[in-house]
Amino acid sequence: MQAVAALRGRSRVIAVAAVVLLCVATVSALAAGGLLSRPAPMVAFDAPGFVDETARAGIDHVYDGGFEYAVGGGVAAFDCNGDGKADLYLAGGSNSAALYRNDSPVGGALRFTRLPGPSTDLKQVNGAYPIDIDGDGITDLVVLRNGGNVLLRGIGDCRFERANETLGFDGGTSATKAFSAAWEAGARLPTLAFGNYVNPASNDPHHLCFDNELIRPSSARATYGAPIPLTPSWCALSMLFSDWNRSGRMDLRVSNDEHYYLPTEGQEQLWRVRPHEAPSLYTADDGWVPVQVQGMGIASYDLTGDGYPEVFLTSQGDNRLQSLAVGPSHPTYRDVGLKRGVNAAQPFTGGDTRPSTAWHDEFADVNNDGFVDLFISKGNVTAQPEYALRDPSDLLLGQPDGTFHEAADAAGILSFERGRGAALADFNLDGLLDLIQVNYGAPVRLWRNIGKGDAATARAMGNWIALRVSEDPPNVDAIGAWVEVRVGERVVRRELTIGGGHGGGQLGWIHFGLGDAAGAGVRVMWPDGETGPWLNVAANQFAVVRRGDLAAHAWSPGGS
């Protein structure tokens, strides 16, 4: 009996040991995948290096024109031929707009080829936004113009055709400077919002601007209905549909130019956009606090980690960083820009101490340390004497304590041209975000991010992942979804939107820096509210997350 008991005891020990070993192996496997990893606390990296490759890359383009074009100048960055690299559509103002195909070798110097064509070489273009309107998997363009906006349908291999008539869209006759889009529940096409500017025929101080418009698809067929005026309207320079309170519905933020409204009337706006209902403004009764700025750009990102996006508004002088003050029940925002170090009210160098003029704004992690950074494009409207004439753009690096530090000079992107639209995108697919900037009356500038390297050899700076998110038509790019990336106990969140910035936007890879982490957990909260599973993604790879799949799909150039 004692022998049997001893054997049973030994068996129990072996069984317990086996369970322990299995648990250790399981935890190790999960840790390797990034879900249970506990890396060392993330630390902020220094500025990456950028080199100017405009001329070498083959981009020769100027946005120009009279005062009617002084507040435009956008760029659309998107993949028009399915090779995974971001191509470019550049506004021209009084010059022709230009489409450039990205021919950059992976990891190498930037190369672009101009693709002339009657559908894209349009004049009077202020900006453009990429969007897949018809859900066919080929990106289209919404082109903003003075005197008639144009919808360009992508037909593959960087070719486009005019689609206004097919989609029942007349384009209007206004001077359009802003755009955003969202898919309302059950709709076959996205709802489009257009922000319009000064009406030269108006002398009415209460109505100096063309009306902004919301255009919804017809319920009967896949075409657009008549525009819905968003009145009161003031001169809008940026718009953004965003689910600001995580209600499952995207409302429309409008940034207006204070110069063209009476101080007793005008302000920033937030429109409540419920499906099948007329849009309505949030007011003081809802908790809305009026803000008056020379609104030029909108950028949003969840900077505090509370699940709700902060909103950055560019202007002349002080910019604003707004954060929800009382939670999602009311659109009551407080300004935290000074505390975070992003007011950027004056030039940081160059000797001009007059107030700055800020345009495009964009949150992105340029040094892959896991802390989102902020680029602000700057430049005088024309030659306004009360504002800085030497007004360099800002590159503000995010820090672990939530503040931002200036690094444009250290990064090598110092310029005193009059900046307008811009885009941060990985043009050569090396895991480092490059920069293109449109200037008013001066050539476009293109900088390659070389990390810790030099012009001859770029060197990696931190780990990263780049994601694409997709679901079935009509909203194939899952606009309105939230993407969460988890490294250890830290989770960063990004809302997928179309709009904002100044005069242009991006559609393509969604870039996240990981610091020194070897991987991350990724989860998508889809536009209809369904939450997908956590998926493991190894560092330094491109991955596609398709709705309903139980794994992210690795992608490589030349692959699928």
Side-chain angles (χ1 to χ4, degrees), residues 126-139:
N126 299 308
Y129 287 82
I131 178 175
D132 190 344
I133 293 177
D134 53 11
D136 65 355
I138 302 174
T139 303

Side-chain angles (χ1 to χ4, degrees), residues 90-112:
L90 301 167
S94 60
N95 297 327
S96 292
L99 177 67
Y100 280 85
R101 185 184 64 220
N102 186 347
D103 293 325
S104 306
V106 174
L110 304 183
R111 298 281 189 276
F112 286 84

Side-chain angles (χ1 to χ4, degrees), residues 305-384:
D306 64 356
Y308 305 101
E310 274 63 47
V311 180
F312 189 76
L313 306 174
T314 55
S315 181
Q316 291 184 305
D318 285 345
N319 300 293
R320 307 294 179 90
L321 178 61
Q322 295 192 307
S323 185
L324 275 177
V326 294
S329 58
H330 302 286
T332 305
Y333 287 86
R334 67 182 185 277
D335 183 48
V336 296
L338 186 62
K339 178 180 178 182
R340 296 279 181 146
V342 295
N343 273 31
Q346 294 173 305
F348 69 89
T349 192
D352 198 329
T353 59
R354 288 170 288 184
S356 280
T357 302
W359 301 89
H360 182 84
D361 45 353
E362 185 173 338
F363 288 107
D365 189 351
V366 299
N367 58 0
N368 289 338
D369 60 2
F371 301 106
V372 70
D373 311 309
L374 174 61
F375 176 78
I376 308 172
S377 179
K378 287 185 173 180
N380 199 291
V381 175
T382 50
Q384 291 181 325

Side-chain angles (χ1 to χ4, degrees), residues 89-446:
Y89 187 67
L90 301 167
S94 60
N95 297 327
S96 292
L99 177 67
Y100 280 85
R101 185 184 64 220
N102 186 347
D103 293 325
S104 306
V106 174
L110 304 183
R111 298 281 189 276
F112 286 84
T113 301
R114 172 77 188 274
L115 300 178
S119 61
T120 52
D121 288 357
L122 303 172
K123 290 195 173 184
Q124 299 181 290
V125 173
N126 299 308
Y129 287 82
I131 178 175
D132 190 344
I133 293 177
D134 53 11
D136 65 355
I138 302 174
T139 303
D140 312 307
L141 284 172
V142 176
V143 182
L144 311 182
R145 302 175 65 244
N146 286 351
N149 302 316
V150 176
L151 304 184
L152 292 178
R153 178 175 176 265
I155 55 177
D157 197 26
C158 293
R159 295 173 298 130
F160 294 85
E161 63 182 15
R162 179 182 168 97
N164 287 33
E165 291 72 25
T166 303
L167 293 174
F169 175 80
D170 69 11
T173 58
S174 304
T176 303
K177 311 292 184 178
F179 174 77
S180 191
W183 272 259
E184 297 187 73
R188 296 170 60 185
L189 295 173
T191 292
L192 311 178
F194 292 88
N196 299 317
Y197 207 60
V198 177
N199 181 355
S202 175
N203 294 314
D204 181 357
H206 304 281
H207 196 191
L208 292 172
C209 313
F210 291 107
D211 284 340
N212 302 323
E213 295 176 332
L214 190 76
I215 303 179
R216 282 173 158 152
S218 167
S219 58
R221 56 190 186 277
T223 57
Y224 281 102
I228 302 169
L230 295 173
T231 53
S233 279
W234 300 293
C235 288
L237 288 175
S238 192
M239 309 176 108
L240 184 66
F241 272 110
S242 172
D243 186 1
W244 61 273
N245 61 353
R246 305 299 296 272
S247 66
R249 184 191 72 241
M250 301 183 85
D251 291 327
L252 181 65
R253 184 78 181 246
V254 182
S255 198
N256 299 302
D257 188 347
E258 182 180 29
H259 185 75
Y260 293 102
Y261 58 68
L262 297 175
T264 55
E265 295 179 357
Q267 58 177 287
E268 300 293 282
Q269 295 172 303
L270 181 63
W271 289 89
R272 184 186 291 107
V273 183
R274 294 190 177 111
H276 314 298
E277 294 184 16
S280 61
L281 276 172
Y282 286 90
T283 67
D285 291 339
D286 303 304
W288 177 253
V289 178
V291 173
Q292 294 178 322
V293 293
Q294 282 100 345
M296 297 173 174
I298 304 174
S300 69
Y301 209 97
D302 177 13
L303 301 178
T304 62
D306 64 356
Y308 305 101
E310 274 63 47
V311 180
F312 189 76
L313 306 174
T314 55
S315 181
Q316 291 184 305
D318 285 345
N319 300 293
R320 307 294 179 90
L321 178 61
Q322 295 192 307
S323 185
L324 275 177
V326 294
S329 58
H330 302 286
T332 305
Y333 287 86
R334 67 182 185 277
D335 183 48
V336 296
L338 186 62
K339 178 180 178 182
R340 296 279 181 146
V342 295
N343 273 31
Q346 294 173 305
F348 69 89
T349 192
D352 198 329
T353 59
R354 288 170 288 184
S356 280
T357 302
W359 301 89
H360 182 84
D361 45 353
E362 185 173 338
F363 288 107
D365 189 351
V366 299
N367 58 0
N368 289 338
D369 60 2
F371 301 106
V372 70
D373 311 309
L374 174 61
F375 176 78
I376 308 172
S377 179
K378 287 185 173 180
N380 199 291
V381 175
T382 50
Q384 291 181 325
E386 65 270 35
Y387 294 98
L389 296 177
R390 289 173 60 80
D391 197 5
S393 300
D394 296 291
L395 180 63
L396 300 169
L397 299 184
Q399 304 298 306
D401 64 357
T403 61
F404 291 79
H405 294 172
E406 181 64 63
D409 198 356
I413 61 169
L414 185 64
S415 170
F416 293 100
E417 290 157 349
R418 292 177 295 184
R420 292 297 189 264
L424 288 161
D426 183 1
F427 292 120
N428 61 355
L429 302 181
D430 64 353
L432 295 167
L433 294 177
D434 310 301
L435 172 64
I436 187 166
Q437 183 175 30
V438 176
N439 300 300
Y440 178 44
V444 166
R445 297 282 295 276
L446 176 68

Side-chain angles (χ1 to χ4, degrees), residues 516-529:
D516 294 327
V522 173
R523 182 171 71 172
V524 178
M525 298 178 180
W526 299 96
D528 63 2

Side-chain angles (χ1 to χ4, degrees), residues 30-35 37 463-468 483-487 510 512 514 517-523 533-545 551-555:
L30 288 173
L35 290 183
S37 58
N463 294 328
W464 54 273
I465 58 173
L467 307 174
R468 292 205 68 165
V483 178
E484 296 187 334
V485 173
R486 182 169 68 185
V487 177
I510 311 157
F512 295 90
L514 302 181
V522 173
R523 182 171 71 172
W534 284 105
L535 308 175
N536 296 334
V537 178
N540 305 325
Q541 76 168 355
F542 298 88
V544 178
V545 179
H553 303 273
W555 179 93

Side-chain angles (χ1 to χ4, degrees), residues 477-492:
D477 293 303
I479 302 305
W482 283 78
V483 178
E484 296 187 334
V485 173
R486 182 169 68 185
V487 177
E489 296 179 351
R490 186 170 184 267
V491 178
V492 295

